């Protein structure tokens, strides 16, 4: 069941589009904002709210890599794996993250704090390697810098 | 017409087509995946690359996708230029990187468009040596098998299923290499047209699950042109057999009728042919185990001698069979096999088409209509392919939006973007919710009387000289006016009605609306649906309704009753039929499957289904269409008309007709309404290059081995005296006249897409014209109106008034003997208005014993919000339910 707050926020989006179906992406983002991810049940509830089929909602949800259809931790680490970051030491950074957190791409730490995912290009090649944690962008990454960054997320 | 040049050949083509269509129509082989004549172009697969030159001096040119370029004046292209060939080879190699190359275990193998295109593009050596992505497959119900690993991401499935057929439970998920076509969660595909995925998918992602259970390669099937027996639309099919069982039904292209597609009942309902309820023995009194043919006929000739014989024909039997029976028993002793009410309805509809001024449309005409008004029918359940055609028709008024923007109609993605979900007017008036409601402009749910009254009101607002029914609410008047204005604002309105709500008033009102539109100068058409494959044929043949025949038989003391391919318990209540049957000394039943009627017979004679018989059906349009025997059965199950001739020959009334052509010629020559039906297909002595047309392919395997248990020497092929087809691989294998097409094949084109080679231009008529003959054309120009306005529906004090509710899976007799259809049929049900249900303290899924005319049936309760109060929607055609559908009563 979607919460009253979620439904309210989604309905706010309806005003911005000619059809309420067009608010599909925003609706998914609202749900994700409140729940970190979008479950099968949420997909069905959204389908009802937007008068679409679950298949149509899920088609959109699964297309976008930043809509999470599986549970994620409190903070999602999006590590850039495009070519500039690769040249500038992605592998060292990745190994360090894997060792420190004890997880690989697509996994979540046991304390539910971090989920790590690859992302192709954050548009900051001049400061590679780069990553996003939660909503914050970090650049010119080194193992030392990473320890400091991770410690700041509780 | 535009002058263009393809590979140096000068051509004149329609500039509204694209270069891929022009190339294929001109006979050039250009590989493609995502384009389909009915779906248009989206340019997604990049397989149809050609080189286009700026002008005659341009020797370099540039690679373009031929499906995305208009065939505009002066276009010069090469399909064979090295850059184009190299481009295509690279594309197919990339597409194939994730394909599992599992052709030997794939059901599509041997008739796979992907195989054909891969060979055509020259990708013969695989270089990709990395891991392939794999997917989990889904359960999609009893019809369709899912194997996602074979997918090449052409998007045809979702474009067909969603955009063309209006389904919303199949979609594409994820992105990049992981793109997945399926459902959000496992489950039955809900569209009534899901089976076309089998033919639309270029490879083996969606395959026929019923075929899988007795899989046979295309080249090992014995195939013949057939006509679907599961409704009155008469879709053209190709039926395939091996080892004495029918293995699958494929669509047979007919531009005028079903085009490329079939409904799921037509595609998957065939297994009644292979049923264990098939009748294969001669039964006479005292022998339930069966006797020899001669013993059976000895008994018959003895017991018939000197007795009066009467006969009951059938709307599911061929015209020739009904004709033979009528000849055998005499016109005055022949019944069309319908109840009085059903016969009156069918006759009214047929007579309206014959004597009226409005044309009955082909499905192609339906697709070209611009506004639609449906009266009293849930078309998807009663004439499914007509509903699919209506879905296309309602796009016609909004399509010009694209023309204004300069976008050609074949350019599917932008056309859809401009149209969005807009569509032309579709107004539906029906007793219960219908499966076209999702695209309806307005819906009106009420009793048949009120639907007729709405119809008459619409006719009034079109032509104010016509009477406006009195006592209409303002709401209904406003609705009628809106419908009238919508119909008047388009050039090609279509009125759809039929026999399924069992109301002559609805049929008449529909005719009045159509006639009024005709007099307003519209190019209007009127389409009636009927219950069975040959309802129109048997009605045009003429005979008595069951009640009349049986009542007369009582006074004339007829002793022998012959029933052909008809289960009378589906026509009238059990008590009535029991009483009628009890008056005869002998009841001789000819049928192919056991029914309640065969259980009452004293003599049962086995006969063939559509796959063991030649015959002619007349469809709801009035089109006579020929179907051919597919194979020689090992059982003694000849065509019913042949069996009736045997009966005649065993008595004092021998037949002069001996073969199918004799019979069909007799029908055509003796009855003016059937003039010309003998010539709708080539005669049996027709030959191409001195040969009959072969039912089996040149690659047919195991013909000696398969009968080695009978005789190690190969058996002599059976000569088909009835048609221009041969039963074996001996014969002509090229393109035969369209009525004799046994399968589609052309060098390099092994899949169903070989149909391109059989058409004058892709998506158009077949070479030599589409088969079939329209027997009904409007001849009179004078308007005639019925204007018999019924009283408004009143809630009965005695009980709820029954309206029959049809289900595509469950209501039709023959398909419900097929396992896959049974799985989808569900239980008999009664639909109730929420207030009526509340009064009776009933809720959804409650089990209930209902009584219709004293006949009890156990049904499930379904609350139907759209149903009018005082009505009960009872499942039609379900076992045990009284087909008379009068008032219904029940106790909880």
């Amino acid at each position: 069941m979607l919460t009253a707050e979620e439904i309210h926020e989604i309905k706010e989006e309806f005003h911005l589009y000619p059809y309420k179906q067009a608010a599909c992406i925003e609706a998914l983002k609202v749900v994700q904002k409140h729940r970190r991810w979008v479950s099968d049940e949420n997909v069905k509830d959204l389908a009802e709210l937007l008068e679409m089929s679950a298949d149509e909602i899920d088609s959109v949800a699964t297309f976008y890599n930043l809509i999470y259809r599986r549970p994620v931790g409190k903070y999602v680490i999006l590590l850039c794996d495009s070519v500039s970051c690769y040249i500038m030491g992605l592998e060292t950074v990745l190994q360090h993250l894997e060792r420190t957190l004890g997880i690989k791409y697509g996994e979540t730490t046991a304390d539910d704090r971090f989920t790590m995912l690859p992302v192709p290009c954050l548009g900051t090649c001049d400061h590679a390697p780069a990553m996003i944690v939660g909503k914050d962008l970090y650049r010119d990454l080194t193992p030392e810098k990473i320890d400091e960054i991770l410690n700041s997320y509780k | 017409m535009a002058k263009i040049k393809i590979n140096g050949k000068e051509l004149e083509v329609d500039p509204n087509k694209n270069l891929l269509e022009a190339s294929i129509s001109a006979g050039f082989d250009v590989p493609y995946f995502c384009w389909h004549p009915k779906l248009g172009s989206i340019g997604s697969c990049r397989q149809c690359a050609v080189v286009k030159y700026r002008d005659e001096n341009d020797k370099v040119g540039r690679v373009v996708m031929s499906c995305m370029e208009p065939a505009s004046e002066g276009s010069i292209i090469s399909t064979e230029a090295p850059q184009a060939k190299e481009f295509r080879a690279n594309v197919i190699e990339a597409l194939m990187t994730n394909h599992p190359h599992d052709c030997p275990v794939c059901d599509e193998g041997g008739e796979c468009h992907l195989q054909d295109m891969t060979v055509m593009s020259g990708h013969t050596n695989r270089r990709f040596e990395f891991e392939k992505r794999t997917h989990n497959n889904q359960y999609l119900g009893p019809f369709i098998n899912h194997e996602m690993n074979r997918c090449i991401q052409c998007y045809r499935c979702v474009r067909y299923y969603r955009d063309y057929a209006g389904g919303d439970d199949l979609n594409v998920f994820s992105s990049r290499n992981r793109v997945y076509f399926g459902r959000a969660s496992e489950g039955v595909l809900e569209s009534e047209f899901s089976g076309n995925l089998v033919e639309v998918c270029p490879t083996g992602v969606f395959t026929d699950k019923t075929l899988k259970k007795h899989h046979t390669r295309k080249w090992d099937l014995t195939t013949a042109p057939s006509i679907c027996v599961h409704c009155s639309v008469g879709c053209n099919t190709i039926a395939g057999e091996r080892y004495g069982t029918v293995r699958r039904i494929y669509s047979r292209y007919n531009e005028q009728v079903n085009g490329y597609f079939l409904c799921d009942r037509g595609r998957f309902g065939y297994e009644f042919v292979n049923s264990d309820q098939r009748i294969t023995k001669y039964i006479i009194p005292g022998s339930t185990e069966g006797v020899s043919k001669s013993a059976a006929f000895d008994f018959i000739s003895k017991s018939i001698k000197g007795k009066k014989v009467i006969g009951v024909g059938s709307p599911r039997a061929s015209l020739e069979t009904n004709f033979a029976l009528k000849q055998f028993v005499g016109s005055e002793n022949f019944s069309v096999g319908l109840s009085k009410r059903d016969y009156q309805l069918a006759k009214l509809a047929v007579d309206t088409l014959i004597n009226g001024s409005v044309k009955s449309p082909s499905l192609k005409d339906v697709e070209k209509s611009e506004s639609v008004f449906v009266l009293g029918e849930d078309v998807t359940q009663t004439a499914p392919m007509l509903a699919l055609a209506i879905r296309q028709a309602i796009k016609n008024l909004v399509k010009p939006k694209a023309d204004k923007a300069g976008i050609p109609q074949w350019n599917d993605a932008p056309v859809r973007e401009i149209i969005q979900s807009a569509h032309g007017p579709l107004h539906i008036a029906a007793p219960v919710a219908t499966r076209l409601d999702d695209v309806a402009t307005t819906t009106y749910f009420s009793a048949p009387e009120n639907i007729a009254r709405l119809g008459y009101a619409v006719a009034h607002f079109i032509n104010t000289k016509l009477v406006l029914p009195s006592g209409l609410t303002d709401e209904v008047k406003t609705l009628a006016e809106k419908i009238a204005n919508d119909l008047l604002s388009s050039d090609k309105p279509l009125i759809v009605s039929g026999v399924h709500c069992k109301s002559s008033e609805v049929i008449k009102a529909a005719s009045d609306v159509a006639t009024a539109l005709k007099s307003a100068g519209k190019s209007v058409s009127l389409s009636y649906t009927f219950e069975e494959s040959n309802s129109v044929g048997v009605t045009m043949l003429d005979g008595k309704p069951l009640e009349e025949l049986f009542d007369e038989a009582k006074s004339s003391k007829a002793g022998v009753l012959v029933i052909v391919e008809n289960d009378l318990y589906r026509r009238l209540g059990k008590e009535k039929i029991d009483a009628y049957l009890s008056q005869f000394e002998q009841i001789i039943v000819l049928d192919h499957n056991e029914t309640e009627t065969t259980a009452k017979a004293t003599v049962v004679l086995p006969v063939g289904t559509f796959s063991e018989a030649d015959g002619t059906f007349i469809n709801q349009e009035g089109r006579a269409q020929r179907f051919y025997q597919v194979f020689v059965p090992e059982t003694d199950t000849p065509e019913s008309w042949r069996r009736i001739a045997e009966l005649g020959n065993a008595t004092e009334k021998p037949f002069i007709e001996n073969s199918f052509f004799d019979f069909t010629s007799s029908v055509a020559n003796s009855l003016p309404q059937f003039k010309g039906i003998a010539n709708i297909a080539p005669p049996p002595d027709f030959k191409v290059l001195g040969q009959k047309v072969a039912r089996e392919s040149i690659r047919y395997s195991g013909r000696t081995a398969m009968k080695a248990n009978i005789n190690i020497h190969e058996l002599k092929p059976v000569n088909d005296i009835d048609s221009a087809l041969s039963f074996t691989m001996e014969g002509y294998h090229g393109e035969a006249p369209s009525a004799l097409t046994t399968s589609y094949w052309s060098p390099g084109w092994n899949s169903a897409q070989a149909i391109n080679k059989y058409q004058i231009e892709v998506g158009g008529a077949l070479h030599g014209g589409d088969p079939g003959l329209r027997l009904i054309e409007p001849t009179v120009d004078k308007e005639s109106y019925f204007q018999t306005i019924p009283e408004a529906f009143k809630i009965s004090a005695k009980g709820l008034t029954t309206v029959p509710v049809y289900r595509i899976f469950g209501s039709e007799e023959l398909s419900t003997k097929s396992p896959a259809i049974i799985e989808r049929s569900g239980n008999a049900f009664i639909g109730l208005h929420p207030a009526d249900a509340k009064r009776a303290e009933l809720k959804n899924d409650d089990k209930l014993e209902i009584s219709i005319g004293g006949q009890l049936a156990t049904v499930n309760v379904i609350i139907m919000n759209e149903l009018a109060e005082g009505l009960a929607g009872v499942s039609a055609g379900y076992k045990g339910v009284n087909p008379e559908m009068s008032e219904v009563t029940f106790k909880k």
Side-chain angles (χ1 to χ4, degrees):
Chain A
M1 279 282 284
L2 299 175
T3 62
E5 197 185 348
E6 284 167 327
I7 292 171
H8 175 74
E9 282 180 40
I10 292 168
K11 283 189 172 165
E12 283 296 299
E13 298 291 337
F14 289 172
H15 305 303
L16 306 174
Y17 299 96
Y19 313 99
K20 60 176 158 183
Q21 286 79 6
C24 173
I25 299 172
E26 295 307 320
L28 287 162
K29 281 162 75 178
V30 168
V31 171
Q32 183 159 305
K33 187 179 90 186
H34 288 276
R35 301 170 189 253
R36 294 189 203 164
W37 67 294
V38 182
S39 69
D40 286 356
E41 194 201 330
N42 301 149
V43 167
K44 284 192 187 115
D45 292 341
L46 282 175
E48 210 169 296
L49 186 64
L50 298 175
E51 292 173 28
M52 299 166 76
S53 70
D55 308 70
E56 285 163 332
I57 300 271
D58 209 14
S59 177
V60 175
T62 55
F63 177 80
Y64 291 103
N65 60 338
L66 296 181
I67 298 291
Y68 306 131
R69 287 286 280 109
R70 276 193 244 168
V72 293
K74 195 171 173 191
Y75 304 104
V76 177
I77 300 171
L78 296 171
L79 182 62
C80 180
D81 69 349
S82 68
V83 64
S84 304
C85 289
Y86 186 81
I87 293 166
M88 297 302 288
L90 167 69
E91 282 181 327
T92 325
V93 172
L94 177 61
Q95 274 169 18
H96 186 74
L97 276 166
E98 286 178 347
R99 218 172 317 137
T100 318
L101 298 172
I103 55 171
K104 294 193 178 306
Y105 278 146
E107 294 176 352
T108 303
T109 54
D111 61 359
D112 211 23
R113 207 150 58 100
F114 293 109
T115 296
M116 184 166 66
L117 296 170
V119 72
C121 200
L122 293 171
T124 178
C125 298
D126 51 337
H127 291 282
M131 69 175 181
I132 286 177
V133 181
K135 289 183 169 175
D136 312 312
L137 175 67
Y138 296 97
R139 315 195 286 182
D140 304 309
L141 295 176
T142 60
E144 299 74 38
K145 226 172 159 179
I146 284 174
D147 289 341
E148 200 182 309
I149 293 165
L150 293 181
N151 280 331
S152 67
Y153 288 89
K154 297 293 171 198
Chain B
M1 293 304 251
K3 283 202 178 95
I4 66 164
K5 216 181 227 187
I6 304 177
N7 297 347
K9 189 176 168 190
E10 281 181 18
L11 297 160
E12 285 210 5
V13 299
D14 179 356
N16 296 319
K17 303 268 172 181
N18 59 53
L19 288 174
L20 175 61
E21 291 169 319
S23 302
I24 294 175
S25 295
F28 297 106
D29 285 348
V30 182
Y32 63 86
F33 291 114
C34 64
W35 169 82
H36 185 285
K38 283 282 182 188
L39 304 177
S41 307
I42 52 165
S44 101
C45 73
R46 319 311 283 173
Q47 191 59 64
C48 66
V50 297
V51 169
K52 187 175 182 190
Y53 303 93
R54 217 170 25 243
D55 51 41
E56 291 287 356
N57 300 322
D58 181 5
K59 299 293 173 217
V60 183
R62 64 192 170 96
V63 172
V64 298
M65 296 310 124
S66 58
C67 77
M68 297 304 283
E69 296 279 322
S72 51
E73 178 68 33
S75 299
I76 304 171
I77 60 166
S78 165
T79 66
E80 294 301 305
Q83 310 100 289
K85 286 175 104 167
E86 193 190 333
F87 186 96
R88 298 197 299 245
N90 286 334
V91 167
I92 191 82
E93 186 169 13
L95 281 180
M96 292 292 282
T97 52
N98 279 313
H99 188 78
H101 297 263
D102 61 341
C103 310
V105 297
C106 175
D107 285 1
E108 194 87 354
E111 53 178 324
C112 175
H113 187 60
L114 178 59
Q115 283 179 333
D116 289 348
M117 297 299 104
T118 307
V119 173
M120 193 182 286
S121 308
H123 172 50
T124 48
N125 183 27
R126 177 167 27 138
R127 290 183 296 176
F128 182 77
E129 50 189 35
F130 309 98
E131 206 168 321
K132 293 178 186 253
R133 62 99 178 86
T134 54
H135 289 295
N136 290 326
N137 301 314
Q138 290 181 321
Y139 166 78
L140 298 177
F143 299 153
I144 302 288
N145 193 69
H146 194 217
E147 176 47 74
M148 247 315 286
N149 291 332
R150 296 175 184 144
C151 182
I152 54 154
Q153 298 90 37
C154 73
Y155 283 70
R156 261 190 184 187
C157 55
V158 283
R159 292 175 61 223
Y160 161 73
Y161 194 92
R162 295 172 51 79
D163 302 343
Y164 191 87
D168 69 357
D169 62 326
L170 180 82
N171 219 316
V172 51
F173 304 100
S174 200
S175 58
R176 302 188 287 131
N177 231 2
R178 296 178 305 240
V179 163
Y180 186 91
F181 297 89
R183 282 173 50 94
S185 54
E186 282 199 323
V188 175
L189 282 174
E190 285 157 17
S191 168
E192 291 81 0
F193 307 98
S194 68
N196 295 316
L197 290 173
V198 173
E199 290 180 55
V200 165
C201 175
T203 178
V205 177
F206 300 100
T207 51
D208 181 340
K209 208 182 231 179
T210 66
L211 171 67
K212 191 169 206 65
K213 294 194 173 128
H214 41 224
H215 186 258
T216 306
R217 294 280 177 217
K218 181 184 183 182
W219 62 77
D220 280 340
L221 287 169
T222 305
T223 47
S226 196
I227 300 293
C228 181
V229 296
H230 301 294
C231 88
S232 64
V233 173
C235 294
N236 292 203
T237 60
I238 291 176
E241 171 270 355
R242 190 167 173 92
Y243 293 116
T245 54
V246 172
R247 302 296 168 113
R248 71 136 176 236
I249 298 291
Y250 233 54
S251 74
R252 179 161 61 96
Y253 183 84
N254 186 325
E255 193 201 10
Q256 297 297 329
V257 189
N258 52 307
Y260 290 87
F261 303 127
L262 294 176
C263 78
D264 288 359
R265 181 158 91 195
R267 188 181 295 271
F268 303 113
Y270 67 92
E271 285 190 278
F272 73 93
V273 175
N274 312 333
S275 162
D276 54 12
Q277 290 170 30
R278 275 301 295 271
I279 296 165
T280 53
K281 294 189 183 112
Y282 295 86
I283 307 288
I284 60 171
S287 126
T288 46
E289 285 308 299
V291 295
S292 70
K293 181 176 174 180
S294 59
F297 276 88
D298 280 350
F299 175 82
I300 291 169
S301 51
K302 257 185 245 143
S303 49
I304 280 191
K305 205 163 197 174
K307 302 270 165 54
K308 182 171 179 185
V309 184
I310 64 167
V312 174
S314 171
R316 69 164 154 91
S318 68
L319 191 57
E320 289 76 9
T321 291
N322 281 298
F323 174 80
L325 182 65
K326 193 173 175 179
Q327 247 189 337
F328 177 55
V329 296
S331 294
E332 68 290 354
N333 299 320
F334 173 74
S335 165
V336 292
L338 289 166
S339 70
K340 197 172 163 195
R341 180 181 60 174
D342 288 348
Y343 188 42
Q344 275 172 353
L345 290 168
K347 206 162 177 51
L348 173 65
V350 169
D351 288 348
T352 304
L353 293 180
I354 292 174
N355 303 323
S357 55
V358 181
K359 184 188 175 187
S360 158
S362 68
L363 287 202
K364 188 190 175 193
D365 297 331
V366 170
E367 279 186 10
K368 290 191 166 170
S369 307
E370 294 169 339
S371 58
V372 188
F373 181 25
V374 181
L375 292 97
E377 292 282 314
D378 184 352
V379 189
T380 315
Q381 316 279 5
T382 59
M385 284 299 288
L386 178 60
L388 193 61
I390 291 173
R391 275 189 191 274
Q392 314 318 314
I394 58 169
K395 295 170 192 162
N396 288 333
L397 274 190
V398 289
K399 275 181 178 171
K401 272 189 181 178
D403 299 336
K404 276 186 206 125
I407 297 165
Q409 291 296 341
W410 48 258
N411 201 347
D412 189 54
V415 169
R416 268 174 210 293
E417 196 60 35
I418 282 184
I419 293 174
Q420 292 286 332
S421 58
H423 57 75
L426 165 61
H427 298 283
I428 300 175
V432 292
T434 83
R435 291 281 284 156
L436 280 174
D437 293 352
D438 60 314
V439 285
T441 315
T442 68
T443 51
Y444 172 74
F445 302 111
S446 195
E449 293 88 332
N450 293 354
I451 293 169
R453 286 165 62 81
L454 172 70
Y456 283 119
V458 172
H460 163 80
F461 286 112
I462 295 166
N463 179 351
T464 45
K465 280 184 214 148
L466 301 174
V467 184
L468 179 69
S470 60
L472 292 178
T473 63
D474 286 347
E475 216 176 322
V476 173
K477 270 188 230 165
T478 317
L479 176 63
E481 201 167 358
K482 180 179 166 48
I483 295 172
N485 289 337
D486 275 351
L487 294 172
L488 281 170
S489 66
S490 73
D491 292 332
K492 293 182 200 153
L494 165 70
I495 309 302
V496 177
S497 187
V499 302
H500 293 89
C501 72
K502 306 274 179 193
S503 161
S504 56
E505 295 313 329
V506 170
I507 292 172
K508 290 176 184 171
S511 167
D512 277 12
V513 175
T515 309
L517 285 164
K518 174 97 185 172
S519 71
K522 297 292 167 187
S523 167
V524 57
S525 47
L526 172 63
S527 185
Y528 285 128
T529 68
F530 296 83
E531 295 218 38
E532 283 153 276
S533 51
N534 201 25
S535 293
V536 175
V538 79
T539 304
M540 287 172 74
L541 181 67
D542 205 22
K544 291 174 177 170
L546 289 171
E547 292 96 320
E548 197 181 321
L549 181 80
F550 285 133
D551 288 341
E552 284 174 11
K554 199 177 273 174
S555 47
S556 70
K557 297 205 167 52
V560 180
L561 169 65
V562 182
I563 304 170
V564 179
E565 297 186 44
N566 201 340
D567 180 6
L568 304 188
Y569 290 92
R570 294 179 64 88
R571 311 291 173 192
L572 284 166
K574 188 170 171 8
E575 229 169 86
K576 267 186 211 164
I577 295 297
D578 281 346
Y580 283 142
L581 294 185
S582 67
Q583 60 181 308
F584 299 99
E585 288 163 41
Q586 298 297 342
I587 302 168
I588 303 171
V589 179
L590 284 64
D591 213 337
H592 44 71
N593 270 269
E594 288 167 16
T595 65
E596 274 183 84
T597 304
T598 59
K600 291 274 177 181
T602 55
V603 178
V604 180
L605 301 178
V607 294
T609 64
F610 73 92
S611 61
E612 298 125 67
D614 293 340
T616 308
F617 287 146
I618 318 272
N619 78 352
Q620 49 87 235
E621 174 199 351
R623 179 182 296 267
Q625 302 192 99
R626 179 73 39 84
F627 62 94
Y628 286 101
Q629 183 172 356
V630 181
F631 65 106
V632 183
E634 281 181 16
T635 50
D636 188 6
T637 49
E639 302 89 340
S640 291
W641 47 261
R642 181 159 270 144
R643 190 62 97 191
I644 295 164
E646 287 174 355
L647 269 180
N649 299 343
T651 65
E652 310 83 88
K653 297 176 189 165
F655 275 76
I656 45 161
E657 293 91 351
N658 186 34
S659 71
F660 177 73
F661 197 67
D662 292 346
F663 271 100
T664 199
S665 302
S666 281
V667 178
N669 296 337
S670 61
L671 301 167
Q673 67 269 40
F674 299 116
K675 189 168 173 258
I677 66 156
N679 307 323
I680 58 176
D685 58 0
F686 173 84
K687 291 200 165 75
V688 189
L689 302 176
Q691 292 176 303
K692 285 191 159 208
V693 176
R695 283 180 173 90
E696 291 173 355
S697 80
I698 11 182
R699 299 173 188 162
Y700 192 86
S701 65
R703 60 183 273 171
T704 309
M706 68 199 302
K707 297 247 168 77
N709 60 329
I710 303 165
N711 191 334
I712 189 73
H713 303 291
E714 196 177 306
L715 302 175
K716 182 175 176 289
V718 176
N719 181 30
D720 187 352
I721 60 164
D722 295 315
S723 80
L725 303 175
S726 78
F727 280 116
T728 57
M729 56 206 280
E730 281 86 2
Y732 182 67
H733 290 95
E735 187 181 350
S738 61
L740 294 176
T741 302
T742 56
S743 80
Y744 295 114
W745 183 84
S746 185
W749 297 78
N750 298 290
S751 81
Q753 319 259 340
I755 183 67
N756 294 335
K757 303 285 183 186
Y758 290 69
Q759 296 161 329
I760 296 167
E761 60 176 24
V762 284
L766 292 165
H767 292 145
D770 292 286
L773 174 71
R774 277 173 64 94
L775 297 178
I776 302 175
E777 294 290 356
T779 46
V780 284
D781 235 356
K782 78 172 196 304
E783 304 159 24
S784 83
Y785 293 98
F786 287 104
Q787 292 293 291
T788 49
I789 298 164
E791 292 289 309
F793 170 71
K794 281 194 202 70
I795 295 176
S796 159
K798 284 186 281 181
L800 297 175
T801 306
T802 310
V803 284
V805 177
Y806 288 79
R807 289 286 176 258
I808 179 171
F809 310 121
S811 291
E812 191 269 332
E813 181 183 2
L814 299 177
S815 61
T816 43
K817 295 176 194 293
S818 305
I821 301 288
I822 293 170
E823 214 177 312
R824 293 288 306 276
S825 297
N827 296 325
F829 59 84
I830 182 169
L832 297 172
H833 181 270
D836 287 323
K838 201 173 167 197
R839 218 167 291 132
E841 293 176 8
L842 289 166
K843 56 181 192 310
N844 262 330
D845 289 333
D846 277 353
K847 280 252 180 286
L848 188 67
E849 189 166 72
I850 59 166
S851 162
I852 301 176
Q855 186 171 331
L856 302 177
T858 308
V859 298
N860 285 12
V861 172
I862 301 176
I863 312 288
M864 293 183 172
N865 292 320
E866 294 83 2
L867 193 69
E869 211 172 332
L871 291 183
V874 178
S875 54
Y878 279 67
K879 204 172 162 43
V881 176
N882 188 339
E884 291 182 50
M885 296 277 176
S886 48
E887 251 138 29
V888 60
T889 55
F890 50 81
K891 277 198 287 258
K892 198 186 174 182

